[in-house]
Amino acid sequence: MMKLGRRSNSFRGALPLDSSSDGKSPATVVWLVLHALCCLISLVLGFRFSRSVFFLFLSNSSTPSNTLYSLPALSVLEAPANGTVSSSRVVVGRHGILIRPWPHPNSTEVMQAHKIIEIVQREQRFQYGVKTPRTVIAITPTYVRTFQTLHLTGVMHSLMNAPYNVIWIVVEAGGITNETSSLLAKSGLRTIHIGFREKMPILWKHRQKLESKMRVHALRHVRDEKLDGIVMFADDSNMHSLELFDEIQKAKWVAAMSVGILAHSGGAEAKHMQLPVQGPACNSSNNLIGWHTFDSSPYLEKSARYVGDKAVVLPGKFEWAGFVLNSRLVWKDAEDKPEWVKDLDSIVEAGEDIDSPLSLLKDSSVVEPLGNCGRKVMLWWLRVEARADSKFPARWIIDPPLDVTVPAKRTPWPDAPPELPTTEKLISIQENTEKRTTKPRSRRRSSRKRKHVARNIDMQASSTSRSGEN
């Protein structure tokens, strides 16, 4: 009994947590229960939520106040250049954040921040993106014409923004020209400029055949130089999404993707028509079962035959831009090369027409569909060409210069800007101004003196005449 009494006495002596109360108070029990409850909530929802809930419920209780249990700050401290601090509407944590003025005063810190962001993005791409990225080999057939700068600039910027190593093979009909070479030099990419002897014909049907020959000629260069990577056919009339470059990295040997055909002119009939898509067709199990092709029957009588016709330009049955190839398919001695691939030289010697990359395959069922099995469009096809006799700008040169037909009525500047005078001209101008300023002053003074003298003579003559009369 004595031991029990001692234990009870010692327990009673250690029970009171509040010095102001004697014994076990209900407030302390409630405080302990709520604290334990908040600890359990903090394990699920986080520490900040439990801290705010505890402050709201127990701020008016008899528990000792603590600076740790305070509401999170609802303002951001701004540090302007003059040193004054003002509030902001941004909701942040318990501590305020100092916002520096913009633009940042220290350029070196800005560059370091950009480098850190680049390193973080590279690490994220390495962890979650493509593990072993391959080089993108883009093949573009082109020739000098009115809209060449417009088309090639769009393709060039798409390739420049690709997050992979890019080799741009440009095959130019009619031979290499300075206009195309100067444009390719501005890209900063690794470019291979190849000239093709034949000139681009005026008929669209012949032009599509010649472009196919130019692409096959570029594939031969890939085979001879043994360029390793993913071959994509980036025509100068295509518009690419940057997501496309990540998607083509999934291709093992031959892959296909959907191409959006922008062939409508925007008339009343085109409003009720859907955007035609050319690419692979898959079933519910994401298996290739066929192909979506462009229905050219509504445009048979309205299609363009020549380059300068005001009509819709029809795409081919299968556009080259909708396919990507592993460059090892065209190598002669590549390892693990599949048997269902035809040789380029054998196709040319047999006289077969290569209309699309499917002509290079013995079995088209081996094609791998990309872009959610063809359901996602990341590439668009657009044929916009000027007239064949268009001369603006002829070979990218405006000669003769254009005349201003509607001049501005009022301008804040003079018609011809004044020439900046040299030091000699300034001295001569100053001397002339000094001489001009001195001469008129002397003339005015002398004339005034003469008038004054004449008036005095007249006054004297009048006075003498009056004295003589008297």
Side-chain angles (χ1 to χ4, degrees):
M1 294 296 293
M2 293 297 294
K3 291 182 180 180
L4 292 173
R6 289 178 181 177
R7 289 179 181 177
S8 61
N9 291 334
S10 61
F11 180 72
R12 287 178 182 178
L15 265 179
L17 298 177
D18 194 356
S19 59
S20 62
S21 61
D22 298 333
K24 182 167 59 175
S25 63
T28 56
V29 176
V30 172
W31 183 85
L32 290 174
V33 172
L34 288 177
H35 186 69
L37 182 62
C38 291
C39 291
L40 293 176
I41 295 174
S42 65
L43 295 176
V44 180
L45 299 179
F47 177 72
R48 185 175 298 175
F49 178 80
S50 63
R51 183 179 56 189
S52 59
V53 170
F54 179 80
F55 181 82
L56 292 174
F57 280 97
L58 300 178
S59 60
N60 298 325
S61 63
S62 61
T63 56
S65 61
N66 195 347
T67 57
L68 292 177
Y69 300 103
S70 59
L71 277 176
L74 300 179
S75 62
V76 180
L77 299 178
E78 297 180 356
N82 54 5
T84 60
V85 179
S86 60
S87 61
S88 175
R89 296 181 181 179
V90 182
V91 179
V92 294
R94 182 165 57 90
H95 300 284
I97 299 176
L98 295 177
I99 300 178
R100 294 182 176 180
W102 182 260
H104 199 281
N106 194 347
S107 59
T108 57
E109 293 185 3
V110 175
M111 296 304 297
Q112 289 179 359
H114 283 290
K115 290 180 181 179
I116 293 173
I117 293 174
E118 184 181 358
I119 293 171
V120 171
Q121 291 178 350
R122 190 186 306 114
E123 187 67 22
Q124 290 177 345
R125 193 181 298 113
F126 178 76
Q127 293 291 337
Y128 304 101
V130 182
K131 300 299 181 181
T132 56
R134 290 173 287 182
T135 304
V136 177
I137 305 173
I139 297 176
T140 304
T142 184
Y143 73 102
V144 175
R145 62 193 187 279
T146 304
F147 285 173
Q148 187 187 26
T149 306
L150 176 66
H151 296 321
L152 279 183
T153 302
V155 177
M156 179 179 67
H157 287 181
S158 299
L159 297 177
M160 290 170 62
N161 291 323
Y164 304 100
N165 295 329
V166 177
I167 300 176
W168 193 12
I169 302 177
V170 179
V171 185
E172 187 174 3
I176 296 175
T177 59
N178 295 329
E179 291 84 359
T180 307
S181 300
S182 61
L183 181 61
L184 298 181
K186 298 177 183 179
S187 63
L189 301 171
R190 181 185 172 186
T191 58
I192 301 174
H193 195 185
I194 304 174
F196 201 73
R197 293 182 179 179
E198 299 183 26
K199 294 184 179 181
M200 191 64 67
I202 300 178
L203 290 174
W204 282 109
K205 199 177 280 188
H206 297 165
R207 177 176 172 177
Q208 292 174 355
K209 292 182 179 180
L210 183 61
E211 288 178 349
S212 299
K213 294 180 180 178
M214 296 166 68
R215 298 185 186 98
V216 173
H217 185 67
L219 290 176
R220 289 177 180 172
H221 183 82
V222 173
R223 179 192 61 185
D224 298 339
E225 298 295 332
K226 289 187 177 181
L227 300 179
D228 193 7
I230 297 294
V231 178
M232 64 175 294
F233 302 96
D235 296 345
D236 56 2
S237 59
N238 295 147
M239 291 171 285
H240 306 84
S241 173
L242 292 180
E243 189 179 357
L244 174 68
F245 298 98
D246 297 330
E247 190 70 17
I248 62 177
Q249 293 287 336
K250 302 177 183 179
K252 184 178 180 181
W253 290 109
V254 183
M257 61 199 120
S258 296
V259 181
I261 307 298
L262 303 177
H264 301 307
S265 58
E269 299 178 357
K271 294 181 181 179
H272 304 284
M273 299 179 66
Q274 296 181 355
L275 177 69
V277 176
Q278 185 184 94
C282 301
N283 55 10
S284 59
S285 302
N286 291 335
N287 295 323
L288 184 66
I289 58 174
W291 301 91
H292 295 291
T293 59
F294 181 76
D295 186 13
S296 59
S297 57
Y299 304 98
L300 290 178
E301 298 180 357
K302 300 178 182 180
S303 60
R305 295 183 57 193
Y306 297 91
V307 176
D309 292 346
K310 295 182 179 180
V312 178
V313 180
L314 301 181
K317 187 177 180 181
F318 292 106
E319 284 295 321
W320 286 74
F323 296 90
V324 291
L325 307 174
N326 190 339
S327 62
R328 295 178 180 268
L329 283 178
V330 296
W331 290 11
K332 288 187 177 181
D333 52 351
E335 297 180 358
D336 300 333
K337 184 177 179 180
E339 299 179 354
W340 38 261
V341 183
K342 298 180 182 179
D343 188 30
L344 288 176
D345 295 335
S346 62
I347 297 174
V348 175
E349 291 176 358
E352 299 179 8
D353 293 334
I354 304 178
D355 298 331
S356 67
L358 294 178
S359 303
L360 305 175
L361 309 177
K362 298 178 182 178
D363 185 9
S364 60
S365 62
V366 297
V367 178
E368 310 159 18
L370 297 178
N372 194 11
C373 203
R375 299 181 183 92
K376 194 171 185 179
V377 178
M378 297 173 288
L379 174 66
W380 294 269
W381 181 93
L382 176 64
R383 281 286 191 183
V384 179
E385 293 294 344
R387 292 174 57 88
D389 57 349
S390 178
K391 296 181 180 180
F392 173 74
R395 299 177 67 86
W396 308 351
I397 299 173
I398 302 176
D399 188 20
L402 300 178
D403 297 330
V404 179
T405 56
V406 184
K409 293 182 179 180
R410 295 179 182 179
T411 55
W413 51 84
D415 296 336
E419 296 181 359
L420 294 176
T422 59
T423 56
E424 298 178 357
K425 290 183 178 181
L426 285 173
I427 295 171
S428 61
I429 290 170
Q430 289 178 359
E431 292 178 356
N432 295 330
T433 52
E434 289 178 357
K435 291 179 181 179
R436 290 176 181 176
T437 52
T438 54
K439 287 180 180 180
R441 288 179 181 176
S442 60
R443 290 177 181 176
R444 290 177 181 176
R445 290 179 181 177
S446 60
S447 61
R448 288 178 181 178
K449 288 181 180 180
R450 290 176 182 176
K451 290 180 179 179
H452 184 67
V453 172
R455 287 179 181 178
N456 292 335
I457 293 171
D458 293 338
M459 291 292 290
Q460 292 177 1
S462 60
S463 60
T464 53
S465 62
R466 288 178 181 176
S467 61
E469 290 177 356
N470 295 326

